[in-house]
Amino acid sequence: MAELENPNEMPKLIAFLSSLLKRLAESNDINQQLIQQKISVFQGLTRPNISIQNYLERIFKYANCSPSCFIVAYVYLDRFTQKQPYLPINSFNVHRLLITSVMVAAKFMDDMYYNNAYYAKVGGITTIEMNFLELDFLFGLGFHLNVTPNTFQAYCVHLQSEMMLMQPLNFTDSSLSLGKSLNTNLCFNEDESSHQKQQKLAV
């Protein structure tokens, strides 16, 4: 959808994604003791001082990747949390997941992009850690990086509709992954031949 790919729409998109991820992370924080979680390189020892929205704004300002990368990064986050149900997004891993997903999306989508060392500086981590995060993220995705035009458009349509509503989301089971933890779901079936099968993406 051209609207979300317009740089002028990015502040609204960043604000919405930040709000979504903040509520998801906080909900999973409350329930983290009720579910079994894997030890992950994404998990920090403490919560970062920077807010999710300020962090996303920083990435947008300095990464210079195309607006489409943020949509694709969101697709990757959705896929990752569906494939890794024991790694729910929370306040201790959301920042590392964000910088990694945007970097991977930029490498896949854009003809020109910064190297890992630059993204590490933007994200406030070391280059070695950035390298580990990228590798773990790719394996977590099963190297499933391709996003077809149909899938991209479907995510954009859903994001646009949610952004227009901007209604608080009700959690039904916040201990689950991004693809299953919200009352309003649209978790896409990767069989993209039918939009009728695409009825569940996490937002």
Side-chain angles (χ1 to χ4, degrees):
M1 297 293 288
E3 293 87 348
L4 288 183
E5 295 181 78
N6 185 339
N8 295 328
E9 291 295 309
M10 285 305 298
K12 183 187 294 187
L13 176 62
I14 288 174
F16 175 77
L17 290 177
S18 301
S19 176
L20 164 68
L21 291 170
K22 180 176 183 291
R23 283 177 278 132
L24 176 61
E26 290 176 347
S27 180
N28 284 335
D29 288 344
I30 295 173
N31 293 285
Q32 64 180 343
Q33 295 181 348
L34 303 178
I35 60 174
Q36 180 183 1
Q37 296 189 28
K38 291 170 58 177
I39 297 175
S40 168
V41 294
F42 295 100
Q43 196 79 0
L45 297 177
T46 60
R47 294 181 178 89
N49 292 324
I50 186 172
S51 70
I52 295 174
Q53 180 162 345
N54 288 342
Y55 195 68
L56 264 179
E57 289 172 347
R58 174 180 171 82
I59 294 173
F60 177 67
K61 179 179 180 180
Y62 293 108
N64 291 320
C65 58
S66 63
S68 300
C69 286
F70 287 84
I71 306 296
V72 174
Y74 177 68
V75 176
Y76 289 167
L77 283 176
D78 193 36
R79 288 177 180 175
F80 184 85
T81 52
Q82 290 180 56
K83 289 177 176 291
Q84 307 296 325
Y86 294 111
L87 289 176
I89 291 178
N90 57 47
S91 298
F92 296 87
N93 63 26
V94 62
H95 294 75
R96 287 177 175 84
L97 284 169
L98 278 172
I99 188 67
T100 308
S101 62
V102 172
M103 184 185 74
V104 171
K107 288 185 175 183
F108 189 78
M109 293 289 294
D110 293 347
D111 294 329
M112 299 182 64
Y113 52 83
Y114 292 109
N115 60 21
N116 287 25
Y118 183 85
Y119 272 95
K121 290 182 179 180
V122 173
I125 57 179
T126 67
T127 303
I128 293 176
E129 185 177 8
M130 187 78 260
N131 293 340
F132 276 118
L133 293 175
E134 179 185 28
L135 189 62
D136 203 70
F137 193 73
L138 290 172
F139 275 100
L141 286 172
F143 290 87
H144 182 195
L145 299 180
N146 186 47
V147 177
T148 68
N150 284 344
T151 292
F152 184 85
Q153 182 179 16
Y155 273 77
C156 285
V157 168
H158 184 72
L159 283 171
Q160 280 186 307
S161 65
E162 292 296 329
M163 287 167 60
M164 290 178 64
L165 294 174
M166 289 297 259
Q167 295 293 330
L169 300 176
N170 297 317
F171 294 96
T172 56
D173 186 353
S174 57
S175 66
L176 301 180
S177 68
L178 180 64
K180 300 177 182 178
S181 60
L182 298 177
N183 191 32
T184 306
N185 289 324
L186 190 71
C187 233
F188 288 102
N189 186 316
E190 291 301 331
D191 178 4
E192 292 149 355
S193 60
S194 171
H195 282 291
Q196 292 181 349
K197 294 183 180 179
Q198 299 172 342
Q199 294 296 318
K200 263 178 79 184
L201 158 71
V203 217

